[in-house]
Amino acid sequence: GAGVSQTPSNKVTEKGKYVELRCDPISGHTALYWYRQSLGQGPEFLIYFQGTGAADDSGLPNDRFFAVRPEGSVSTLKIQRTERGDSAVYLCASSPGAGGPATDTQYFGPGTRLTVL
Amino acid sequence: AQSVSQHNHHVILSEAASLELGCNYSYGGTVNLFWYVQYPGQHLQLLLKYFSGDPLVKGIKGFEAEFIKSKFSFNLRKPSVQWSDTAEYFCAVTTYSSASKIIFGSGTRLSIRP
């Protein structure tokens, strides 16, 4: 079946603008995760959804970042007033949700490369 | 705070050489450990994982890792690498105090000379 997909694959924006990044998880996966990966670093946890609700948003760096998953499937990561430091690859992952995030295998998408000029 | 250290940033080997990539974590309680791999142009994918039981874990493509609790380590090994193993390798951990977060190391880039 289809894997996790993310759109757009690349996004270039100007400082101060608003951006939305979309994630389509694997069908039937109840858990969805967002990560941010800066150059030369491993992925950094941002937020975890179980169904429609954000079970853990402690990784969001500040209130400019927000994510939703209104129907328990597709998720959108929203960044307001973008800053140059937000430039990174934003990764989405999904998992079946049965085992819990500590043990579930996460399946990653290709990422969205965000560049803030 | 929990952290994962991968001290080798870039490893270069010839084909058929043996591989060991280091991974150390900082957390005194129960952990789950993972190795992820990202081949050029591809997504991150799970290579192997350890939750409990036999500390020697076997994964895909001939990789294995050994959990040594006393050393807080989970090193990745392969007896004979191939050119197709060229990739970036990430060690990661989850703990029961931060169970929803996978904490990743900074990665090790592996280059194999044909």
mmCIF file of all heavy atoms in Angstrom, chain A residues 6 21 34-37 46 61 65 77 79 85-92 109-114:
data_model
loop_
_atom_site.group_PDB
_atom_site.id
_atom_site.type_symbol
_atom_site.label_atom_id
_atom_site.label_comp_id
_atom_site.label_asym_id
_atom_site.label_seq_id
_atom_site.Cartn_x
_atom_site.Cartn_y
_atom_site.Cartn_z
ATOM 1 N N GLN A 6 3.939 13.500 1.947
ATOM 2 C CA GLN A 6 3.999 14.857 2.470
ATOM 3 C C GLN A 6 4.031 15.831 1.302
ATOM 4 O O GLN A 6 4.722 15.604 0.315
ATOM 5 C CB GLN A 6 5.249 15.061 3.332
ATOM 6 C CG GLN A 6 5.236 14.259 4.611
ATOM 7 C CD GLN A 6 6.425 14.585 5.488
ATOM 8 O OE1 GLN A 6 7.293 13.740 5.737
ATOM 9 N NE2 GLN A 6 6.475 15.813 5.967
ATOM 10 N N LEU A 21 2.162 22.838 6.065
ATOM 11 C CA LEU A 21 2.777 21.625 5.546
ATOM 12 C C LEU A 21 1.804 20.474 5.816
ATOM 13 O O LEU A 21 1.268 20.344 6.916
ATOM 14 C CB LEU A 21 4.113 21.350 6.253
ATOM 15 C CG LEU A 21 5.085 22.532 6.343
ATOM 16 C CD1 LEU A 21 6.347 22.121 7.087
ATOM 17 C CD2 LEU A 21 5.424 23.068 4.970
ATOM 18 N N TRP A 34 5.073 14.523 14.075
ATOM 19 C CA TRP A 34 5.842 15.501 13.306
ATOM 20 C C TRP A 34 7.216 15.654 13.947
ATOM 21 O O TRP A 34 7.337 15.719 15.177
ATOM 22 C CB TRP A 34 5.149 16.864 13.295
ATOM 23 C CG TRP A 34 3.981 16.976 12.371
ATOM 24 C CD1 TRP A 34 2.656 16.875 12.680
ATOM 25 C CD2 TRP A 34 4.025 17.266 10.971
ATOM 26 N NE1 TRP A 34 1.885 17.062 11.568
ATOM 27 C CE2 TRP A 34 2.697 17.310 10.495
ATOM 28 C CE3 TRP A 34 5.057 17.483 10.053
ATOM 29 C CZ2 TRP A 34 2.368 17.567 9.165
ATOM 30 C CZ3 TRP A 34 4.746 17.738 8.730
ATOM 31 C CH2 TRP A 34 3.404 17.784 8.297
ATOM 32 N N TYR A 35 8.230 15.748 13.074
ATOM 33 C CA TYR A 35 9.599 15.986 13.501
ATOM 34 C C TYR A 35 10.189 17.101 12.640
ATOM 35 O O TYR A 35 9.742 17.360 11.531
ATOM 36 C CB TYR A 35 10.472 14.733 13.300
ATOM 37 C CG TYR A 35 10.074 13.542 14.118
ATOM 38 C CD1 TYR A 35 9.087 12.663 13.682
ATOM 39 C CD2 TYR A 35 10.694 13.285 15.337
ATOM 40 C CE1 TYR A 35 8.726 11.557 14.431
ATOM 41 C CE2 TYR A 35 10.338 12.175 16.098
ATOM 42 C CZ TYR A 35 9.353 11.321 15.628
ATOM 43 O OH TYR A 35 8.993 10.235 16.388
ATOM 44 N N ARG A 36 11.247 17.709 13.172
ATOM 45 C CA ARG A 36 12.005 18.695 12.406
ATOM 46 C C ARG A 36 13.453 18.233 12.383
ATOM 47 O O ARG A 36 14.002 17.849 13.425
ATOM 48 C CB ARG A 36 11.892 20.067 13.072
ATOM 49 C CG ARG A 36 12.684 21.153 12.397
ATOM 50 C CD ARG A 36 12.346 22.510 12.938
ATOM 51 N NE ARG A 36 12.774 22.736 14.298
ATOM 52 C CZ ARG A 36 12.650 23.890 14.931
ATOM 53 N NH1 ARG A 36 12.092 24.913 14.310
ATOM 54 N NH2 ARG A 36 13.054 24.026 16.177
ATOM 55 N N GLN A 37 14.063 18.286 11.200
ATOM 56 C CA GLN A 37 15.440 17.852 11.062
ATOM 57 C C GLN A 37 16.266 18.970 10.446
ATOM 58 O O GLN A 37 16.083 19.325 9.280
ATOM 59 C CB GLN A 37 15.538 16.580 10.211
ATOM 60 C CG GLN A 37 16.940 16.001 10.162
ATOM 61 C CD GLN A 37 16.989 14.659 9.446
ATOM 62 O OE1 GLN A 37 16.075 14.289 8.715
ATOM 63 N NE2 GLN A 37 18.059 13.907 9.667
ATOM 64 N N LEU A 46 8.384 17.010 17.473
ATOM 65 C CA LEU A 46 7.571 18.214 17.625
ATOM 66 C C LEU A 46 6.252 17.896 18.328
ATOM 67 O O LEU A 46 5.922 18.486 19.358
ATOM 68 C CB LEU A 46 7.288 18.839 16.254
ATOM 69 C CG LEU A 46 8.485 19.382 15.480
ATOM 70 C CD1 LEU A 46 8.034 19.900 14.118
ATOM 71 C CD2 LEU A 46 9.203 20.475 16.255
ATOM 72 N N PRO A 61 8.379 24.286 19.319
ATOM 73 C CA PRO A 61 9.347 25.233 19.894
ATOM 74 C C PRO A 61 8.729 26.497 20.477
ATOM 75 O O PRO A 61 9.282 27.061 21.422
ATOM 76 C CB PRO A 61 10.271 25.559 18.718
ATOM 77 C CG PRO A 61 9.535 25.152 17.495
ATOM 78 C CD PRO A 61 8.588 24.090 17.870
ATOM 79 N N PHE A 65 4.133 27.744 16.126
ATOM 80 C CA PHE A 65 3.926 26.420 15.539
ATOM 81 C C PHE A 65 2.630 25.814 16.074
ATOM 82 O O PHE A 65 2.382 25.826 17.278
ATOM 83 C CB PHE A 65 5.093 25.482 15.894
ATOM 84 C CG PHE A 65 6.377 25.805 15.203
ATOM 85 C CD1 PHE A 65 7.150 26.890 15.581
ATOM 86 C CD2 PHE A 65 6.822 25.004 14.154
ATOM 87 C CE1 PHE A 65 8.337 27.182 14.928
ATOM 88 C CE2 PHE A 65 8.012 25.279 13.503
ATOM 89 C CZ PHE A 65 8.768 26.371 13.893
ATOM 90 N N LEU A 77 0.732 20.905 9.591
ATOM 91 C CA LEU A 77 1.603 21.663 10.492
ATOM 92 C C LEU A 77 1.610 23.108 9.998
ATOM 93 O O LEU A 77 1.871 23.353 8.816
ATOM 94 C CB LEU A 77 3.015 21.088 10.490
ATOM 95 C CG LEU A 77 4.056 21.799 11.351
ATOM 96 C CD1 LEU A 77 3.713 21.675 12.833
ATOM 97 C CD2 LEU A 77 5.457 21.248 11.094
ATOM 98 N N ILE A 79 2.921 27.070 10.497
ATOM 99 C CA ILE A 79 3.943 27.927 11.083
ATOM 100 C C ILE A 79 3.619 29.368 10.734
ATOM 101 O O ILE A 79 3.543 29.728 9.555
ATOM 102 C CB ILE A 79 5.362 27.566 10.573
ATOM 103 C CG1 ILE A 79 5.618 26.060 10.689
ATOM 104 C CG2 ILE A 79 6.411 28.346 11.376
ATOM 105 C CD1 ILE A 79 6.938 25.611 10.079
ATOM 106 N N GLY A 85 15.438 30.768 11.110
ATOM 107 C CA GLY A 85 15.792 29.599 11.914
ATOM 108 C C GLY A 85 14.803 28.445 11.795
ATOM 109 O O GLY A 85 15.087 27.346 12.274
ATOM 110 N N ASP A 86 13.654 28.695 11.153
ATOM 111 C CA ASP A 86 12.682 27.614 10.943
ATOM 112 C C ASP A 86 13.064 26.745 9.749
ATOM 113 O O ASP A 86 12.447 25.690 9.532
ATOM 114 C CB ASP A 86 11.281 28.191 10.699
ATOM 115 C CG ASP A 86 10.757 28.994 11.864
ATOM 116 O OD1 ASP A 86 11.193 28.737 13.009
ATOM 117 O OD2 ASP A 86 9.913 29.888 11.643
ATOM 118 N N SER A 87 14.042 27.175 8.978
ATOM 119 C CA SER A 87 14.464 26.401 7.812
ATOM 120 C C SER A 87 14.968 25.035 8.248
ATOM 121 O O SER A 87 15.852 24.927 9.104
ATOM 122 C CB SER A 87 15.580 27.139 7.058
ATOM 123 O OG SER A 87 15.105 28.356 6.533
ATOM 124 N N ALA A 88 14.392 23.999 7.688
ATOM 125 C CA ALA A 88 14.713 22.614 8.064
ATOM 126 C C ALA A 88 13.892 21.686 7.185
ATOM 127 O O ALA A 88 13.058 22.134 6.391
ATOM 128 C CB ALA A 88 14.361 22.367 9.535
ATOM 129 N N VAL A 89 14.119 20.395 7.350
ATOM 130 C CA VAL A 89 13.236 19.395 6.743
ATOM 131 C C VAL A 89 12.234 18.974 7.806
ATOM 132 O O VAL A 89 12.625 18.597 8.925
ATOM 133 C CB VAL A 89 14.019 18.169 6.243
ATOM 134 C CG1 VAL A 89 13.063 17.093 5.720
ATOM 135 C CG2 VAL A 89 14.999 18.576 5.146
ATOM 136 N N TYR A 90 10.966 19.058 7.481
ATOM 137 C CA TYR A 90 9.903 18.669 8.408
ATOM 138 C C TYR A 90 9.415 17.279 8.006
ATOM 139 O O TYR A 90 8.915 17.074 6.897
ATOM 140 C CB TYR A 90 8.785 19.707 8.403
ATOM 141 C CG TYR A 90 9.227 20.982 9.071
ATOM 142 C CD1 TYR A 90 9.987 21.924 8.375
ATOM 143 C CD2 TYR A 90 8.955 21.223 10.415
ATOM 144 C CE1 TYR A 90 10.452 23.074 9.005
ATOM 145 C CE2 TYR A 90 9.402 22.369 11.041
ATOM 146 C CZ TYR A 90 10.158 23.289 10.338
ATOM 147 O OH TYR A 90 10.612 24.423 10.974
ATOM 148 N N LEU A 91 9.567 16.355 8.926
ATOM 149 C CA LEU A 91 9.229 14.962 8.681
ATOM 150 C C LEU A 91 7.929 14.598 9.388
ATOM 151 O O LEU A 91 7.672 15.049 10.508
ATOM 152 C CB LEU A 91 10.326 14.037 9.210
ATOM 153 C CG LEU A 91 11.698 14.136 8.546
ATOM 154 C CD1 LEU A 91 12.716 13.330 9.326
ATOM 155 C CD2 LEU A 91 11.636 13.653 7.117
ATOM 156 N N CYS A 92 7.157 13.775 8.732
ATOM 157 C CA CYS A 92 5.947 13.219 9.326
ATOM 158 C C CYS A 92 6.119 11.711 9.389
ATOM 159 O O CYS A 92 6.758 11.104 8.518
ATOM 160 C CB CYS A 92 4.743 13.588 8.478
ATOM 161 S SG CYS A 92 3.183 12.887 9.021
ATOM 162 N N GLY A 109 7.607 9.685 6.222
ATOM 163 C CA GLY A 109 7.428 10.224 4.898
ATOM 164 C C GLY A 109 8.721 10.826 4.373
ATOM 165 O O GLY A 109 9.738 10.828 5.070
ATOM 166 N N PRO A 110 8.682 11.367 3.155
ATOM 167 C CA PRO A 110 9.892 11.910 2.535
ATOM 168 C C PRO A 110 10.305 13.279 3.066
ATOM 169 O O PRO A 110 11.421 13.723 2.828
ATOM 170 C CB PRO A 110 9.512 12.009 1.058
ATOM 171 C CG PRO A 110 8.027 12.176 1.078
ATOM 172 C CD PRO A 110 7.531 11.404 2.246
ATOM 173 N N GLY A 111 9.395 13.929 3.774
ATOM 174 C CA GLY A 111 9.734 15.227 4.335
ATOM 175 C C GLY A 111 9.384 16.388 3.420
ATOM 176 O O GLY A 111 9.219 16.234 2.210
ATOM 177 N N THR A 112 9.241 17.562 4.037
ATOM 178 C CA THR A 112 9.107 18.831 3.318
ATOM 179 C C THR A 112 10.302 19.687 3.687
ATOM 180 O O THR A 112 10.533 19.937 4.879
ATOM 181 C CB THR A 112 7.820 19.567 3.698
ATOM 182 O OG1 THR A 112 6.696 18.827 3.245
ATOM 183 C CG2 THR A 112 7.801 20.968 3.083
ATOM 184 N N ARG A 113 11.048 20.102 2.677
ATOM 185 C CA ARG A 113 12.183 20.993 2.932
ATOM 186 C C ARG A 113 11.686 22.416 2.918
ATOM 187 O O ARG A 113 11.244 22.907 1.873
ATOM 188 C CB ARG A 113 13.279 20.799 1.889
ATOM 189 C CG ARG A 113 14.522 21.642 2.149
ATOM 190 C CD ARG A 113 15.620 21.339 1.140
ATOM 191 N NE ARG A 113 16.055 19.961 1.215
ATOM 192 C CZ ARG A 113 16.919 19.489 2.095
ATOM 193 N NH1 ARG A 113 17.470 20.300 2.981
ATOM 194 N NH2 ARG A 113 17.255 18.214 2.098
ATOM 195 N N LEU A 114 11.738 23.073 4.076
ATOM 196 C CA LEU A 114 11.293 24.461 4.203
ATOM 197 C C LEU A 114 12.509 25.379 4.230
ATOM 198 O O LEU A 114 13.417 25.180 5.034
ATOM 199 C CB LEU A 114 10.474 24.644 5.485
ATOM 200 C CG LEU A 114 10.039 26.080 5.803
ATOM 201 C CD1 LEU A 114 9.051 26.583 4.759
ATOM 202 C CD2 LEU A 114 9.444 26.180 7.199
#
